[in-house]
Amino acid sequence: FSFLEATDKRSIQYHIEHKPKDIYNLESVYDFLLNEFYTYLNTKFNVDYTGWSSVFRAIESVENHFENDTETYLSIVKVIGLLNIIGKQSADLNKYNINEYLSSFLGIGNPEKYIAQLESKKIIRYQNYNNRYVPYEGTDVDINLELIKVANEIEEIVDIATMLQKNYDLPP
């Protein structure tokens, strides 16, 4: 509840009082969480540590790759990263919805152009099997699905004792 009770410049309360006509968007939520919980978000005790780490790496990549429109690229990465951390896996974060959100709530004109640049620099990627953008972590393979496929191909061993006796001299 600290999110609702906080009153500092990044809080929703401050936003309501000082910027009532502006939208408190996901980028604002990201900035608040990072400011208030930085230490916790960066520890392995955080159950979402992996997700936050991937967002932090993506932000570093933006800062290293883009000299112009850096704030726009950072906004997009924050939104995509936060949606992947707090959003349900079943949430429909497809290209259309992300572009509409970025355009409508962050005021980014032609978000497709910026997303294409982030994809070309391998900072974010679109997971076709999951129908969503994610911070780039190296593969577009659904590892869980692949493990299930392999598990279905492996024969089940029913009688382990016979298999062991065939290959080893075991005492009775």
Side-chain angles (χ1 to χ4, degrees):
F1 292 101
S2 61
F3 176 69
L4 298 175
E5 294 173 354
T7 57
D8 69 320
K9 281 191 163 197
R10 289 185 176 90
S11 71
I12 193 167
Q13 187 64 38
Y14 181 90
H15 192 84
I16 290 169
E17 291 174 9
H18 295 89
K19 303 174 187 177
K21 294 186 181 193
D22 291 346
I23 296 172
Y24 193 79
N25 56 46
L26 286 172
E27 180 183 18
S28 302
V29 173
Y30 175 93
D31 291 340
F32 172 82
L33 292 172
L34 188 64
N35 186 61
E36 294 294 315
F37 302 106
Y38 180 81
T39 302
Y40 175 70
L41 297 177
N42 279 289
T43 66
K44 299 206 179 190
F45 296 111
N46 172 5
V47 294
D48 295 314
Y49 173 77
T50 306
W52 283 99
S53 293
S54 68
V55 177
F56 297 152
R57 284 190 299 277
I59 285 172
E60 281 182 27
S61 292
V62 166
E63 291 168 343
N64 290 328
H65 284 94
F66 299 104
E67 292 182 20
N68 299 322
D69 298 322
T70 306
E71 291 303 315
T72 301
Y73 290 111
L74 288 172
S75 297
I76 294 169
V77 168
K78 289 175 182 180
V79 167
I80 289 171
L82 190 59
L83 284 171
N84 279 283
I85 294 168
I86 64 172
K88 289 184 175 186
Q89 279 301 108
S90 61
D92 195 1
L93 304 177
N94 64 33
K95 293 177 181 187
Y96 175 79
N97 289 342
I98 289 293
N99 286 320
E100 281 297 308
Y101 182 86
L102 295 172
S103 176
S104 299
F105 294 104
L106 270 68
I108 297 173
N110 195 11
E112 298 90 349
K113 174 183 86 170
Y114 295 101
I115 287 175
Q117 285 295 310
L118 289 166
E119 286 182 295
S120 74
K121 301 283 186 197
K122 298 193 182 299
I123 295 171
I124 63 169
R125 66 188 169 89
Y126 192 76
Q127 289 180 329
N128 291 314
Y129 72 88
N130 218 8
N131 205 28
R132 66 173 49 208
Y133 284 102
V134 296
Y136 191 83
E137 291 291 328
T139 183
D140 192 27
V141 175
D142 183 351
I143 293 173
N144 290 328
L145 178 63
E146 294 303 318
L147 286 172
I148 290 168
K149 285 180 186 176
V150 169
N152 289 333
E153 293 175 10
I154 297 174
E155 266 184 55
E156 186 177 334
I157 299 174
V158 180
D159 184 10
I160 294 173
T162 303
M163 296 288 290
L164 288 172
Q165 287 174 345
K166 198 185 287 184
N167 296 306
Y168 301 98
D169 287 332
L170 299 175

